[in-house]
Amino acid sequence: CIVGLGYVGLPLVFSFASAGFKVIGLDNDKKKINSLKNNKSYINQFKDNKIKELNKTGFSCSAKFKIISTADVIIYCIPTPLNVHKEPDMKYIESSLNQSIPFLKKGQAVSLESTTYPGTTEEYFVKMAKGKGYNIGKDFFVIYSPEREDPGNNKYSVSNIPKVVS
């Protein structure tokens, strides 16, 4: 499940779907969900026909967080715009995580891919998992992988930029 279907999340959806994975998309923006369901793109790098091809792969999307209960891996591609202090604004990560908590289950892995400061994964995701009583690395897995998207760059994309996962 890719949470956040913006300029980072949607290319990641395409990458996983083209590799043969069943992909679920999740976004609070119902306009994005409706666009995708109606084979319409809202990102310049993808034409409508690419969305139509994506939908033929079995891709599904929703604005309801309950859908993550069906996923093995949840990848958060949430915006972290800079606040007035030039620090990442964590409200979108906090909101997405809080909406996710009731639907997370043992055996899942969660990955943060948002641009943020060191320690965010520990501060938010590990803390949440431990709060649910999960044993990290045994019955629940937490991952960080920095985003690999350069919007508008036609030479390099998520498919040909090495990805680091920890």
Side-chain angles (χ1 to χ4, degrees):
C1 180
I2 309 293
V3 180
L5 299 174
Y7 76 91
V8 174
L10 192 57
L12 201 55
V13 164
F14 274 96
S15 182
F16 280 112
S18 67
F21 289 95
K22 180 182 177 195
V23 183
I24 303 164
L26 176 61
D27 201 292
N28 279 334
D29 186 343
K30 292 178 183 172
K31 289 180 184 178
K32 286 180 183 176
I33 299 302
N34 289 333
S35 291
L36 291 170
K37 287 181 176 182
N38 290 305
N39 299 316
K40 302 291 181 196
S41 180
Y42 48 86
I43 295 180
N44 289 339
Q45 75 188 83
F46 300 114
K47 303 292 181 218
D48 290 350
N49 65 333
K50 288 286 282 182
I51 304 297
K52 188 174 185 177
E53 289 174 27
L54 174 65
N55 285 328
K56 289 179 181 176
T57 69
F59 170 73
S60 62
C61 56
S62 178
K64 296 181 180 176
F65 275 78
K66 183 178 182 178
I67 199 167
I68 66 171
S69 66
T70 66
D72 295 322
V73 178
I74 301 104
I75 301 172
Y76 291 83
C77 301
I78 306 299
T80 51
L82 297 180
N83 63 22
V84 295
H85 303 291
K86 304 226 184 272
E87 300 167 337
D89 185 343
M90 304 305 288
K91 69 182 173 192
Y92 299 109
I93 288 178
E94 289 174 1
S95 175
S96 293
L97 192 53
N98 286 334
Q99 292 176 76
S100 299
I101 288 172
F103 307 108
L104 295 173
K105 61 185 185 197
K106 286 185 177 183
Q108 288 179 315
V110 294
S111 177
L112 177 61
E113 304 222 358
S114 302
T115 301
T116 185
Y117 55 86
T120 301
T121 303
E122 184 84 22
E123 183 179 339
Y124 289 91
F125 289 80
V126 170
K127 182 179 176 183
M128 171 278 306
K130 286 182 177 178
K132 284 194 68 135
Y134 295 147
N135 189 342
I136 305 297
K138 293 201 182 226
D139 61 17
F140 196 82
F141 305 89
V142 179
I143 302 162
Y144 178 74
S145 180
E147 72 178 65
R148 308 305 295 158
E149 193 60 41
D150 185 7
N153 186 334
N154 293 326
K155 185 175 179 183
Y156 296 103
S157 69
V158 72
S159 63
N160 62 1
I161 297 175
K163 189 155 188 55
V164 177
V165 178
S166 65

